[in-house]
Structure formats: C-alpha cells, structure tokens
C-alpha cells in the first residue's frame, strides 16, 4: 500500500513546495497514484517556474533599488597628492579625497571643484619639490625668511658683478690680459687662502656659537658686495677692492658650508638629513633665480637711462642689504638646535633648579637668540669650563679643591677671581679630568656649579670661609647626584642630544690626575 504524501501546516521562511501547492490548489493527503498532476512534477508547469523566478527577481530588484549609505572605513592613505580614505558604497570599494574632516563624494561635474583640485595638486607638487616629507614644525618659517634673504642677496650679487664689469671697462681697457692674470692670483688665490685660515681658526666656534658666527659672516658678505659696488668709482684700485671683497666672500662661504649640516640636522626629525640637504639646494637655486629676475627687471626698466642705471646699485644697496640681513636674522631664530653647549646646558639647569622642569629646544633657542655681541656672562658668579689661569688671583678654595681630589673624581668645582681692566669679578670654575671624564660628568659638574651659584646669590654677606665653602660644595654635589637621573631622562624626552657636549677650544682644557 502506498503511503500518502504529508504536507506540514507550519510556515517556514521560504518553501518552494508550498508555493507550488498554493498556485495549483493541491489538497493534503492525496495518494500519489490518484494525483493526476504528480506525473508532471518532474516537469513543473510554466506557471510554477514563472512564479518562483518572479518572487526572486523582484526581491533582487528591490535590493538594487534600495539606496545604500556609503560606509566610511577607518583607513586613511597618505599619498603625494593628499590624503584619501576608503569608502564602501554597497558594491564597490573606493578611495575618496579627504579635506580636513569632510569627505567629498562628488565627482568632477562641478567646475569650481575641478579648479580647486587642480590648484591643490599643483600646490602639493610644488611642496613635494621644495620641501622634505618629514620635517620639524619650524622648518617652514625658516624657509620663508630664507626666501627673503636669498632673493635680495642674489639681486645684489648681480648688480655688484655688473659694477665690476663696468669698472674693468673704464679703468683697464688697455691692460685687460694682465689684469685677468693678477685677478686670478690676488682675487681668487688670496680668497681661498683666507678661507682656509678662517676655517682652521674657528673650527670649534662653528658648533658652539653657530648662530652668532653665521650672522657675523653674513654681515661680512653684505659688506663685500658694497665693496664690489664701489669698484666703478675707483677703477684704478679695481684689483685691490675685488681681492678684498673676494676674501670676505670666501670667509662667508666657508661659514655657510660649515654650519649648513648642523642647521639641516635640526630639521631632520626622521634621520632624513640627505633629503633635507638636497631640498635646501633646490630652494637656493630657485630663490637665487628669482633674485636674478628681479635684478634683470630693474635693468630693463632703466635701460634707456644709462646714468640712472649706473646709480641704481647705490640706491638699492642699503634697502636690499637691510632686507637680506633681516631675513637671515629671522631665519636663524627658527633654527632650534638640539645639541648641547655649555651655555645651553646652563640655561636648562637654571630653569630646572628654579621651576623643576626642562625647557624644550625651541624655548632655549628663543632665550639664546643670535648673540651677535658675545656676552661676558652674569655679573655675579659666572660659570666657566676650563683650567685655572695662573695670571689671575687663585683663592684658597681652588687649592683646597685640588688637594681633595682622588682617583674617583673626574672633575672639581672651585672659585676664581678675574680682572677685566680695573674690574674685579668672582666666578665659578669647572675643571674636567682628561682621563675618563664623560658627558655625564660634565652635566653633573655644571649642575653642581649652578646649585652653588644659586646658594651664593641668595646668601647675604661677604666671602665664604674655607669650611663654609667645603660644606656648600659637598651639599650641592649631593643635590646634583639626586637630580642627575631625572634631569637626564627629561632632557632625552624633549629631544636634547645628551650623548655629547660641544665645548669650545678654551673649554676643552683639562687636567690629569697624578697619584704620588
């Protein structure tokens, strides 16, 4: 006996057999052999196929017509032409430009939007051409003032060259070959010789007094251009004036090349010193060409008046020189050197003692300034690193400090008395040991000396007794040891280069310990 087919009465989410039964009006519990339509079940009617496909395609169509909100994915891509973000619109993954916090989904239909994109791409292209990718925040301010300096300096050099050619044409028309030979020997030869002598004599000053030396040589360079501009007025002294001007230029060039690496390193935050140096050369070429165009434009404007053209350099020289030096001064203010010198270390430690925090390189750079005129230090108790000067009066505390030295001491701190003319000053001297004195010893010695000065400035009265000095030095050394670890940690966190202290030639004088 054949069992009948049983169709459950529950309603599943989707049952094709139920749909087929509904359209064909089948009833439950019909025997298979009595169902005339069962024989065509393997080949269902067209109405069944059409109904099933209609429901499926209708649901698919509704899904396609249903608007899907774009989904912002938490992934940003930084490219050379800007910042883009991944967006899923329901069917495709796209990269859209991100402008600040606004995501732009529009296309290129808007003409204004297209111009904005074109301008942005051009500006980004110029930015990538002139500037490195990873630099410090103060780099753009430095380049802004460098642009002002290079443009007007280049224009002045063009005008000075024209003046020298004019002087040669007036005073040396008959003896031009001999003048050219003497020019090679005197002008270029003496210039290179002076450059070597200057570089050798100020080797350590390029590190310890970088800004002051660079600005000073910039002033010398501006004066050399002024000397070249005077050659048409004194054609008989052309070779002499040209040689003096070239000596000054070579000295300035030597300083520029010697200090360039330190300046570029202060901006290379990702060890990309080569990239920063390469971009600096590109900037120099571009800015100098703009200065050349400025000088050419001035000559074109006055080409019909030879007299005004001859007096043009004397008119623009003071104006262009003032702008040039001002640009150099402002650009150097935005150079934040992370290297430690005695003066910078002293500023850091003084701030630490008074306010218990370490200033950043930007703060110290602002306080340091250019120091065009070297300061003699504080009026009371200046700190000096070096050796005792036998020409000055040596107090008893200095001899006591030397007598108390042992093998484990790598420095000692004492007082000194110096005479500047008729002026008598008291100071603190830090003497470093030649064998084994490390950077940590230098920092600790300056920290102890600053503590001693702080106590002496707060003390009212006359000169300390010998016993009082010994107790003061011992107590300040204890305070320096307690602060040393935390101070060094804070300095490293703020980006200070604590592995080495840059000392000048006089500050590198050290003592040797002799155990008799």
């Amino acid at each position: 006996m054949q069992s009948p087919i049983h169709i459950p009465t529950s309603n599943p989410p989707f049952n094709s057999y139920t749909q087929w039964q509904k359209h064909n009006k089948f009833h439950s519990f019909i025997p298979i052999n009595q169902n005339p339509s069962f024989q065509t079940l393997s080949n269902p009617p067209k109405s069944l196929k059409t109904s099933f496909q209609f429901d499926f395609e209708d649901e698919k169509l509704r899904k396609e017509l249903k608007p899907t909100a774009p989904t912002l994915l938490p992934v940003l891509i930084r490219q050379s032409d800007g910042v883009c973000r991944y967006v899923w619109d329901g069917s495709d993954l796209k990269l859209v430009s991100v402008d600040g916090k606004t995501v732009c989904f529009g296309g290129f239909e808007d003409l204004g939007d297209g111009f904005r994109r074109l301008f942005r791409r051009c500006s980004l292209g110029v930015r990538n051409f002139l500037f490195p990718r990873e630099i410090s925040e103060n780099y753009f301010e430095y380049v802004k003032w460098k642009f002002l300096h290079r443009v007007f300096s280049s224009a002045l050099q063009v005008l000075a060259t024209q003046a020298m050619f004019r002087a040669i044409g007036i005073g040396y028309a008959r003896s031009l070959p001999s003048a050219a030979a003497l020019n090679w020997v005197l002008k270029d030869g003496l210039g290179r010789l002076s450059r070597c002598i200057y570089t050798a004599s100020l080797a350590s000053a390029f590190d310890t007094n970088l800004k002051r030396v660079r600005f000073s040589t910039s002033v010398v360079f501006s004066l050399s251009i002024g000397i070249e501009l005077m050659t048409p007025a004194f054609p008989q002294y052309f070779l002499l004036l040209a040689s003096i001007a070239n000596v000054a230029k070579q000295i300035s060039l030597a300083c520029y090349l010697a200090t360039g690496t330190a300046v570029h390193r202060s901006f290379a935050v990702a060890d990309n010193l080569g990239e920063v140096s390469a971009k600096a050369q590109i900037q120099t070429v571009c800015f100098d060409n703009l200065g050349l165009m400025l000088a050419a434009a001035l000559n074109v404007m006055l080409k019909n008046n030879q007299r005004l053209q001859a007096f043009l350099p004397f008119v623009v020289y003071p104006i262009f020189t003032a702008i040039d030096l001002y640009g150099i001064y402002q650009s150097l203010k935005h150079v934040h050197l992370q290297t430690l010198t005695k003066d910078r270390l002293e500023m850091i430690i003084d701030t630490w003692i008074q306010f218990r925090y370490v200033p950043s390189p930007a703060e110290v750079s602002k306080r340091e300034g250019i120091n065009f005129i070297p300061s003699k230090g504080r009026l009371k108790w200046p700190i000096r690193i070096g050796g005792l000067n036998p020409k000055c009066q040596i107090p008893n505390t200095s001899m006591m400090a030397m007598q108390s030295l042992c093998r484990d001491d790598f420095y000692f701190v004492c007082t000194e008395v110096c005479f500047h003319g008729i002026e008598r000053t008291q100071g603190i001297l830090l003497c470093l040991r030649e064998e084994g004195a490390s950077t940590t010893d230098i920092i600790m010695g300056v920290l102890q000396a600053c503590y001693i000065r702080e106590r002496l400035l707060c003390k009212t009265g006359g000169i300390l007794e010998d016993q009082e000095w010994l107790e003061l030095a011992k107590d300040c050394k204890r305070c320096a040891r307690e602060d040393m670890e935390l101070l060094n940690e804070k300095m490293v966190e703020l980006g200070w280069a604590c592995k080495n202290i840059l000392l000048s030639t006089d500050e590198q004088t050290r003592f040797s310990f002799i155990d008799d």
Side-chain angles (χ1 to χ4, degrees):
M1 180 179 178
Q2 294 178 347
S3 60
I5 231 172
H6 176 71
I7 301 177
T9 58
S10 60
N11 297 326
F14 181 79
N15 194 331
S16 61
Y17 189 85
T18 304
Q19 296 289 335
W20 178 82
Q21 183 185 14
K22 179 179 178 181
H23 285 284
N24 292 274
K25 299 182 180 180
F26 282 156
H27 299 282
S28 304
F29 303 102
I30 299 179
I32 296 178
N33 55 359
Q34 296 178 7
N35 189 352
S37 301
F38 183 78
Q39 297 177 357
T40 61
L41 184 63
S42 58
N43 296 318
K46 294 183 179 180
S47 60
L48 173 64
K49 182 178 181 181
T50 306
S51 175
F52 180 81
Q53 290 182 350
F54 176 80
D55 293 340
F56 181 76
E57 291 176 357
D58 185 56
E59 183 179 359
K60 182 178 180 182
L61 182 62
R62 285 197 302 268
K63 289 183 179 180
E64 291 179 354
L65 295 178
K66 183 179 179 180
T68 303
T71 303
L72 300 178
L73 302 180
V75 178
L76 287 178
I77 301 296
R78 299 185 183 275
Q79 299 175 336
S80 59
D81 56 347
V83 181
C84 298
R85 185 170 182 176
Y86 283 109
V87 175
W88 173 255
D89 62 356
S91 60
D92 296 323
L93 185 65
K94 298 180 179 180
L95 267 178
V96 297
S97 177
V98 178
D99 186 10
K101 296 183 179 180
T102 305
V103 181
C104 303
F105 297 100
F108 293 93
E109 298 82 12
D110 188 9
L111 186 61
D113 191 35
F115 278 120
R116 284 193 296 270
R117 293 192 181 193
L118 179 61
F119 175 77
R120 188 179 179 213
R121 286 183 177 273
C122 292
S123 61
L124 287 174
V126 173
R127 192 259 182 223
N128 295 331
F129 179 74
L130 290 177
F131 303 106
R133 288 183 176 271
E134 296 187 24
I135 44 179
S136 59
E137 298 177 355
N138 53 315
Y139 183 75
F140 293 102
E141 291 293 326
Y142 166 79
V143 174
K144 178 181 69 176
W145 295 108
K146 177 185 177 182
F147 165 78
L148 194 68
H149 146 59
R150 295 300 307 186
V151 168
F152 289 94
S153 177
S154 177
L156 280 176
Q157 292 182 59
V158 173
L159 296 176
T161 304
Q162 290 179 348
M164 294 177 67
F165 286 159
R166 193 178 297 112
I168 292 176
I170 294 175
Y172 289 85
R174 298 180 180 178
S175 57
L176 190 57
S178 61
L182 289 175
N183 178 60
W184 175 262
V185 175
L186 295 176
K187 180 176 176 292
D188 295 339
L190 288 178
R192 292 189 178 94
L193 180 61
S194 301
R195 175 179 172 181
C196 294
I197 296 174
Y198 172 78
T199 305
S201 60
L202 293 179
S204 62
F206 292 132
D207 294 320
T208 56
N209 299 308
L210 184 147
K211 294 184 180 182
R212 183 176 72 230
V213 173
R214 186 157 183 173
F215 187 77
S216 302
T217 52
S218 299
V219 175
V220 172
F221 183 83
S222 299
L223 294 177
S224 68
I225 295 179
I227 294 175
E228 290 180 348
L229 293 175
M230 293 174 58
T231 52
F234 304 96
Q236 64 275 18
Y237 301 111
F238 170 78
L239 290 180
L240 177 61
L241 295 176
S243 299
I244 295 175
N246 193 62
V247 167
K249 281 188 173 183
Q250 290 294 328
I251 290 176
S252 179
L253 178 61
C255 176
Y256 180 81
L257 295 176
T259 58
T261 303
V263 173
H264 298 157
R265 188 185 294 113
S266 67
F267 299 117
V269 296
D271 293 335
N272 54 339
L273 179 59
E275 183 186 12
V276 175
S277 301
K279 296 297 183 179
Q281 296 181 28
I282 296 175
Q283 295 166 9
T284 300
V285 172
C286 295
F287 298 162
D288 287 352
N289 287 336
L290 291 176
L292 177 62
M293 295 172 59
L294 176 61
L298 292 175
N299 286 322
V300 170
M301 292 172 58
L302 302 176
K303 64 179 181 179
N304 296 327
N305 195 330
Q306 296 296 328
R307 187 173 182 181
L308 289 178
Q309 193 175 18
F311 282 99
L312 175 64
F314 300 98
V315 176
V316 301
Y317 173 73
I319 301 174
F320 283 13
T321 300
I323 298 175
D324 175 28
L325 294 178
Y326 183 73
I328 297 173
Y329 181 82
Q330 291 294 334
S331 64
L332 290 177
K333 287 176 63 177
H334 294 283
V335 177
H336 303 158
L337 300 173
Q338 295 90 9
T339 53
L340 288 176
T341 62
K342 178 258 177 185
D343 293 334
R344 296 187 195 122
L345 182 60
E346 190 175 343
M347 292 180 189
I348 294 172
I349 293 177
D350 282 339
T351 306
W352 170 261
I353 293 175
Q354 296 178 11
F355 306 104
R356 307 305 295 179
Y357 92 98
V358 175
S360 63
E363 295 176 87
V364 173
S365 178
K366 185 177 180 180
R367 292 174 53 188
E368 183 181 27
I370 303 300
N371 288 333
F372 182 57
I373 301 177
S375 59
K376 297 181 180 180
R378 294 193 176 194
L379 295 178
K380 293 184 178 180
W381 300 105
I383 298 175
R384 185 176 68 88
I385 299 178
L388 283 169
N389 189 1
K391 297 182 180 179
C392 300
Q393 182 180 355
I394 301 177
N396 294 332
T397 55
S398 301
M399 293 181 287
M400 294 172 58
M402 288 186 285
Q403 289 176 353
S404 62
L405 285 174
C406 61
R407 285 183 174 273
D408 297 333
D409 294 328
F410 295 99
Y411 72 90
F412 69 89
V413 180
C414 62
T415 59
E416 65 175 354
V417 179
C418 299
F419 292 92
H420 300 281
I422 60 175
E423 182 183 1
R424 179 177 180 271
T425 59
Q426 289 182 322
I428 300 175
L429 177 64
L430 172 62
C431 294
L432 301 173
R433 184 173 168 178
E434 186 176 3
E435 306 91 357
S438 61
T439 303
T440 304
D441 297 319
I442 299 175
I443 298 177
M444 185 175 295
V446 177
L447 182 57
Q448 180 184 354
C450 289
Y451 266 118
I452 293 175
R453 178 172 61 190
E454 194 71 20
R455 304 283 181 87
L456 292 175
L457 292 176
C458 296
K459 180 180 177 58
T460 58
I463 302 176
L464 289 175
E465 298 293 336
D466 295 344
Q467 189 62 31
E468 292 179 338
W469 165 260
L470 292 177
E471 294 178 359
L472 177 62
K474 183 178 180 180
D475 185 51
C476 291
K477 189 172 186 178
R478 178 185 57 81
C479 295
R481 287 177 176 174
E482 293 176 355
D483 291 352
M484 183 60 201
E485 183 177 356
L486 182 59
L487 175 63
N488 188 75
E489 180 181 350
K490 295 294 183 181
M491 291 171 62
V492 172
E493 289 180 359
L494 289 173
W496 289 106
C498 300
K499 294 183 179 180
N500 191 24
I501 310 295
L502 302 176
L503 301 177
S504 63
T505 304
D506 295 335
E507 293 171 347
Q508 292 176 5
T509 303
R510 303 193 177 192
F511 72 92
S512 297
F513 179 75
I514 301 175
D515 190 6
D516 293 335

